[in-house]
Amino acid sequence: MSDVVYTTTHRVVVPFYVYAGLAFLVATGMLFTGAAEFSGHYFQPHILAITHTMALGWGTMIILGASHQLLPVLMEGELYSVKLAYLSYTFTGIGIALLVWAFYIFHMGWPAKCGALLINAGVIAFFVNVVMSIVKSKKENIQAIFMLTAAGWLAFTTLAGGLLICNFTENILPDGSLHYLSLHAHIGIVGWFLLLVMGVGSRLIPMFLISKYDSPKILWSIYGLINGGLITFIFIFLREAVSVLYMIPVLCVTGGIVLFGFFCRKAYRQRIRRQVDEEMKISLLAVVMMVLPLVFLIAVIVTLMTISADVHMVLAYGFTIFFGWLTAIILGMTFKTLPFIIWNRVYHARAGTGATPVPKELFSSRLFNIMAVCFIIGFISFVAGIVISNGIAMKVGALLLLLCAFLYNANVFKLLFHKDRML
């Protein structure tokens, strides 16, 4: 086995983390100022702006950055193209800003269309980079298959989103854009976020727990259940079948989540390092939080069988995904991955000499713990506010989530401005 450790330069990866952190701050700021709107219908300009800031600016950008860092490690080879990585960042970053602004002011003309076009261009650059990196490598790796498939679903999601943007003004689809919103959202949520988080998590969680547990059989089962469930959902949606049939893809995805929880539990129980740090606790909490969106989704399907979907359940469902498990996994994994990237940049030349701090010392554990408390209490408060239609609970929750985002950014920038410290 080669002793060479393949990685991607921090110049490619770090900008994605910075953009994502600032997007999280912007999203929580909009959440605080527009909390009252979560008492109404989910199809509102400001809610659309918040959702896309979280889904694209926060979730997608940080995953793109982490993927550029992790893919060479998985494939034991170099990233196919650094230039494509820069193009992915530039196109996607500008496109997200334009699209979110367009949603916020609800201008579905050139700002939205240009934003959608640029996002698609950035995603295509990322997809090509993933495909070519895997093709170049002779290493077979199930996590890379997860990443490749998720990247394909992301491209499908952004293409569908672009069509929905054009459909606002051009009427190119048989029905209005609101009709296809569920299809667009679930391809992104299940195909991109859930599939990629499970694939990458199946490598990172055992690695950071220092656990030797691995089960390709379970991972292939998860892969089949998630993709099978999503394909079934698309088929049912396009056939406009009765609501009860949506329980089939829900059960498939639930099965995948249960297996992933089992995988993480086995990795946890077989860990070598007995003490689990706070960053991993938040990441493991995110695995548990995957159950919450399923609860609200089932509630939505049940109400659809009777009259129509309860808008509060729909809002709670979306909120628990983007501000819940997805944010939790990012908060935890940021401070497990970014410190190593910065440490490698600053101390690589002195590695192995024993004269360097450990990566965990590059950020503030105290700030992290306060951030985690603000996140948990703020999340619970806002979800409760949505369910019981309590504006005060939502305002308090939004304020705590805004503070969480501020502390997250403070710790990230503390990392980024770390200078060589001689010991």
Side-chain angles (χ1 to χ4, degrees):
M1 181 180 291
S2 173
D3 292 329
V4 177
V5 177
Y6 293 97
T7 186
T8 303
T9 173
H10 67 276
R11 293 183 181 87
V12 168
V13 179
V14 168
F16 284 95
Y17 279 84
V18 173
Y19 191 107
L22 294 176
F24 184 37
L25 189 62
V26 169
T28 53
M30 289 192 289
L31 184 72
F32 179 70
T33 57
E37 297 182 46
F38 280 78
S39 298
H41 198 273
Y42 55 86
F43 195 76
Q44 297 184 56
H46 291 178
I47 292 180
L48 289 173
I50 293 169
T51 301
H52 283 83
T53 304
M54 290 296 290
L56 294 171
W58 172 231
T60 296
M61 285 298 274
I62 206 160
I63 290 174
L64 291 180
S67 297
H68 284 111
Q69 176 73 21
L70 186 60
L71 187 59
V73 178
L74 294 177
M75 302 313 302
E76 296 182 8
E78 294 181 352
L79 187 70
Y80 172 70
S81 172
V82 170
K83 289 182 180 178
L84 279 177
Y86 284 130
L87 285 176
S88 177
Y89 173 80
T90 304
F91 288 152
T92 310
I94 296 172
I96 291 168
L98 280 172
L99 184 64
V100 168
W101 177 58
F103 275 127
Y104 195 81
I105 63 174
F106 210 68
H107 187 334
M108 294 296 102
W110 72 265
K113 291 174 181 176
C114 287
L117 182 63
L118 286 168
I119 291 169
N120 273 276
V123 168
I124 290 170
F126 170 70
F127 182 69
V128 171
N129 224 353
V130 172
V131 171
M132 295 308 297
S133 296
I134 292 174
V135 168
K136 278 180 58 181
S137 173
K138 295 181 174 60
K139 177 77 173 179
E140 292 185 7
N141 188 289
I142 186 172
Q143 283 86 7
I145 299 300
F146 269 83
M147 188 180 293
L148 174 62
T149 310
W153 284 120
L154 174 62
F156 191 4
T157 304
T158 54
L159 176 61
L163 290 175
L164 295 187
I165 292 295
C166 294
N167 196 52
F168 275 106
T169 56
E170 307 299 331
N171 294 320
I172 59 177
L173 298 173
D175 295 290
S177 295
L178 180 58
H179 174 75
Y180 300 99
L181 188 60
S182 176
L183 180 65
H184 167 62
H186 284 96
I187 294 172
I189 291 168
V190 178
W192 169 233
F193 288 121
L194 186 59
L195 193 64
L196 191 133
V197 165
M198 286 180 166
V200 172
S202 69
R203 176 63 179 265
L204 293 183
I205 289 174
M207 182 175 74
F208 288 128
L209 287 173
I210 312 183
S211 172
K212 294 182 179 180
Y213 178 75
D214 189 23
S215 177
K217 184 177 179 180
I218 288 180
L219 295 179
W220 278 117
S221 298
I222 293 170
Y223 180 86
L225 285 167
I226 299 300
N227 283 287
L230 181 53
I231 292 168
T232 304
F233 167 77
I234 294 171
F235 179 78
I236 293 171
F237 182 92
L238 295 177
R239 297 284 295 181
E240 298 184 351
V242 292
S243 300
V244 68
L245 290 179
Y246 284 111
M247 288 304 297
I248 298 172
V250 169
L251 289 173
C252 287
V253 172
T254 301
I257 290 174
V258 169
L259 281 179
F260 182 66
F262 176 80
F263 180 94
C264 293
R265 181 173 178 269
K266 293 286 284 185
Y268 178 83
R269 295 190 67 169
Q270 294 184 25
R271 71 194 187 278
I272 295 173
R273 177 185 290 167
R274 305 315 297 171
Q275 185 174 1
V276 179
D277 58 33
E278 301 304 319
E279 301 84 63
M280 279 307 302
K281 287 178 182 177
I282 291 292
S283 299
L284 293 171
L285 174 64
V287 177
V288 178
M289 290 175 74
M290 287 179 173
V291 176
L292 281 176
L294 287 172
V295 172
F296 287 112
L297 179 58
I298 292 170
V300 170
I301 294 172
V302 169
T303 56
L304 276 172
M305 294 178 195
T306 53
I307 36 175
S308 60
D310 185 328
V311 292
H312 293 116
M313 292 298 103
V314 175
L315 282 166
Y317 170 59
F319 188 87
T320 53
I321 290 171
F322 296 115
F323 284 91
W325 71 264
L326 184 60
T327 292
I329 195 75
I330 293 173
L331 293 179
M333 284 300 171
T334 292
F335 295 100
K336 295 300 291 184
T337 57
L338 189 58
F340 281 97
I341 295 169
I342 301 304
W343 185 93
N344 193 55
R345 182 198 73 188
V346 178
Y347 297 108
H348 177 74
R350 291 197 281 129
T353 65
T356 64
V358 296
K360 188 177 176 64
E361 295 174 354
L362 273 58
F363 67 94
S364 170
S365 295
R366 181 170 176 271
L367 282 183
F368 180 89
N369 292 336
I370 298 172
M371 176 201 74
V373 171
C374 289
F375 165 69
I376 294 169
I377 298 175
F379 171 76
I380 294 171
S381 179
F382 203 96
V383 172
I386 292 175
V387 174
I388 65 176
S389 297
N390 187 300
I392 295 175
M394 285 190 283
K395 202 73 173 178
V396 170
L399 179 60
L400 288 170
L401 289 171
L402 178 60
L403 180 57
C404 166
F406 175 80
L407 294 172
Y408 172 88
N409 277 274
N411 236 351
V412 166
F413 279 97
K414 177 180 173 60
L415 269 167
L416 298 181
F417 288 108
H418 179 82
K419 301 297 182 183
D420 191 341
R421 191 168 73 231
M422 298 293 294
L423 294 183

